[in-house]
Amino acid sequence: MKKFIQIAFLLIGGALGFVFLPPLYELLHLSSNPWLDNPYVSVALGALLLFTLSFAFSDYFVKLITWMEEVLFKVPIGDLLFGTLGLIIGLIVAYFLGFAIDSIQLPVITEVLPIVLSFVLGYLGFRVGFKKRDELLQLFTLRGHNAKKKANEGADVPEIRGSYKLLDTSVIIDGRIADISETGFIEGILVVPQFVLTELQHIADSSDTLKRTRGRRGLDILKKLQDERMTKVEITEEDFEDVQEVDLKLVRLAKKMENDTQIVTNDFNLNKVCELHQVKVLNINDLANAVKPVVIPGEDMQVVVIKDGKEHNQGVAYLDDGTMIVVECGRSYIGQAITVTVTSVLQTSAGRMIFAKPKDD
């Protein structure tokens, strides 16, 4: 890269010497010298001067180019493409505005303002194309979908109601999605991206017995969904090679698809990421919590304290549905069935936790 920069300096220096050195000779009254007033000498002097400076500044240019490469390689190709298109459109608009400015006949404005407009409109065009890429893609996708819908009007094509549901790895392994789908509470088309299938396959091929069992169970759940579901289960090959994390790929894919696309998960962290990206999400744990029996503070229940809690003198019990009950002063009752009084209930997307105390206390 250093050699490339030094050659560039050499060529640029020769061009600058050819353009600017002859006027400089006239200004310094040196144009009468036949050795200096020669285009070949001007090119040689300019090239030599900048080539010498390149040794002092080449390291800085190498760092600058390396930094630009790292930034550009991290930018998704779609964002870069739409940003470049926006830049070209902004420069075209600035070029046509320059014709209107030329008619003003003001020396300073006609020379400076077109340059300013080129910078401003080019920058704005790049930013708009870069930031609005997803909206532009959705616009073209929606038009293509509407055109396809019109082309299919009048044909005996069954109408598929509902939106697309993207399944993540955790909800497939969990398995409850098959039972919920069978009851008809989830409508629309279930979409399984290829990168989710790849992750499931890696888990199923794991050397760890537990992971291998979970991965194979997930593949069996997908097969069950394909065989028993009334509407389609599609597998999409869409992938984002610039992103490594499967969760971020799901978010990108949901944004790229239609506006009513939803991600189905039971991952608490993915739920939060979807909310930050303003992507619709269906959390299986939220559904499970919604259909659990309501527990009211002050209500009594029979529980068996099975282990210590995290805090001092706490005990932990569980309901039949797996809900954790933290029993204050319950450590001394480990292994016993006792009656507790509910004091408070904590409800989150990760689950529900009940706080209680022994009724005797």
Side-chain angles (χ1 to χ4, degrees):
M1 193 179 295
K2 283 186 177 180
K3 291 181 179 179
F4 175 79
I5 293 173
Q6 289 170 353
I7 292 173
F9 268 69
L10 185 70
L11 297 176
I12 294 172
L16 293 178
F18 180 78
V19 174
F20 293 106
L21 284 182
L24 182 63
Y25 297 153
E26 294 182 1
L27 184 65
L28 298 177
H29 304 291
L30 297 175
S31 57
S32 59
N33 191 327
W35 287 99
L36 293 178
D37 193 13
N38 188 317
Y40 298 105
V41 174
S42 300
V43 170
L45 288 177
L48 181 62
L49 179 61
L50 255 70
F51 183 71
T52 305
L53 291 176
S54 67
F55 289 96
F57 295 100
S58 59
D59 291 334
Y60 297 103
F61 277 93
V62 168
K63 291 180 180 178
L64 177 62
I65 294 173
T66 304
W67 174 78
M68 291 176 66
E69 284 182 352
E70 291 177 356
V71 171
L72 290 175
F73 287 152
K74 290 179 181 178
V75 176
I77 186 64
D79 295 344
L80 194 60
L81 176 62
F82 277 88
T84 305
L85 290 175
L87 172 64
I88 294 173
I89 293 173
L91 292 177
I92 291 173
V93 173
Y95 177 76
F96 283 110
L97 287 176
F99 287 109
I101 295 171
D102 288 338
S103 61
I104 300 177
Q105 301 297 329
L106 293 176
V108 177
I109 293 178
T110 55
E111 294 176 2
V112 176
L113 193 55
I115 300 175
V116 175
L117 283 175
S118 298
F119 277 104
V120 173
L121 294 178
Y123 173 76
L124 290 177
F126 179 83
R127 294 295 295 177
V128 170
F130 187 85
K131 291 293 185 181
K132 299 295 183 180
R133 179 183 72 93
D134 293 330
E135 295 182 17
L136 292 171
L137 284 175
Q138 289 177 1
L139 179 63
F140 293 129
T141 304
L142 184 61
R143 287 182 176 178
H145 176 73
N146 292 336
K148 186 177 180 181
K149 184 177 179 182
K150 290 180 179 179
N152 291 331
E153 285 182 355
D156 294 332
V157 178
E159 182 182 1
I160 300 175
R161 301 185 60 187
S163 60
Y164 291 100
K165 306 292 191 299
L166 284 173
L167 302 185
D168 83 326
T169 311
S170 63
V171 81
I172 296 173
I173 293 176
D174 179 80
R176 290 177 290 178
I177 183 65
D179 299 327
I180 297 171
S181 177
E182 188 177 357
T183 61
F185 278 99
I186 292 185
E187 62 178 3
I189 302 174
L190 298 184
V191 180
V192 183
Q194 181 59 48
F195 52 82
V196 171
L197 278 179
T198 303
E199 187 180 35
L200 269 177
Q201 185 178 356
H202 288 325
I203 296 173
D205 294 338
S206 174
S207 57
D208 185 86
T209 304
L210 180 59
K211 285 186 177 180
R212 185 167 62 250
T213 304
R214 294 176 66 204
R216 291 176 179 176
R217 180 169 182 263
L219 295 174
D220 292 338
I221 293 296
L222 282 180
K223 182 62 177 174
K224 181 180 178 181
L225 284 170
Q226 283 185 325
D227 293 341
E228 300 180 0
R229 201 163 194 273
M230 295 298 293
T231 53
K232 293 194 299 183
V233 178
E234 293 185 355
I235 297 176
T236 175
E237 300 290 337
E238 186 72 33
D239 200 351
F240 304 93
E241 297 181 357
D242 57 312
V243 180
Q244 299 297 325
E245 296 81 3
V246 174
D247 290 352
L248 293 181
K249 289 185 178 183
L250 279 169
V251 173
R252 289 273 296 273
L253 182 58
K255 286 184 174 181
K256 187 174 181 180
M257 296 175 69
E258 294 183 358
N259 292 329
D260 54 354
T261 300
Q262 298 169 314
I263 295 178
V264 185
T265 183
N266 61 358
D267 189 337
F268 179 76
N269 294 326
L270 177 57
N271 196 108
K272 292 298 182 183
V273 171
C274 290
E275 291 177 359
L276 291 174
H277 285 272
Q278 297 180 348
V279 174
K280 297 178 183 178
V281 62
L282 296 177
N283 195 314
I284 299 296
N285 288 332
D286 287 341
L287 177 61
N289 293 331
V291 298
K292 284 181 179 178
V294 177
V295 179
I296 303 172
E299 181 180 346
D300 295 340
M301 60 177 61
Q302 288 281 338
V303 298
V304 177
V305 183
I306 62 173
K307 64 178 183 179
D308 293 343
K310 289 185 178 181
E311 303 297 332
H312 176 68
N313 207 23
Q314 280 185 347
V316 175
Y318 292 93
L319 295 179
D320 293 338
D321 59 7
T323 302
M324 178 187 289
I325 303 176
V326 179
V327 182
E328 299 294 336
C329 304
R331 184 175 183 182
S332 58
Y333 297 99
I334 293 178
Q336 302 179 32
I338 62 172
T339 302
V340 296
T341 302
V342 177
T343 57
S344 61
V345 180
L346 178 63
Q347 185 77 50
T348 66
S349 294
R352 180 175 61 167
M353 185 181 295
I354 299 174
F355 295 89
K357 62 181 180 178
K359 190 175 181 179
D360 296 340
D361 296 339

